[in-house]
């Protein structure tokens, strides 16, 4: 028998079993899932990447 995978809830750090019976994984609950979603929606969290060039001066859709 294999040992279940346990992860920490990204919001509250409580232990969560990673399996089909954990519908909110990696979160422990709907509440923690919605707190995290709200942080992304409010742009408190972001994934670093290349700057958005569409708003930069000199950007154009015209071909050269």
């Amino acid at each position: 028998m294999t040992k279940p995978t346990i992860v920490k809830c990204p919001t509250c750090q409580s232990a969560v079993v990673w399996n089909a019976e954990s519908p909110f994984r990696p979160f422990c609950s709907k509440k923690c899932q919605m707190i995290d979603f709200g942080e992304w929606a409010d742009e408190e969290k972001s994934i670093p990447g290349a700057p958005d060039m569409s708003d930069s001066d000199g950007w154009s859709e015209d071909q050269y």
Side-chain angles (χ1 to χ4, degrees):
M1 189 164 154
T2 62
K3 186 176 175 183
T5 300
I6 306 291
V7 298
K8 287 185 177 180
C9 174
T11 304
C12 71
Q13 304 300 306
S14 65
V16 178
V17 177
W18 188 279
N19 63 21
E21 286 79 40
S22 301
F24 304 109
R25 66 185 179 272
F27 304 98
C28 65
S29 65
K30 183 73 172 176
K31 177 183 175 183
C32 282
Q33 185 183 49
M34 294 309 292
I35 289 169
D36 185 77
F37 177 73
E39 291 171 350
W40 283 98
D42 288 341
E43 297 183 359
E44 293 172 25
K45 293 184 178 181
S46 64
I47 297 173
D52 183 4
M53 298 303 288
S54 63
D55 293 334
S56 297
D57 291 335
W59 184 85
S60 173
E61 290 184 1
D62 298 332
Q63 293 184 355
Y64 295 97

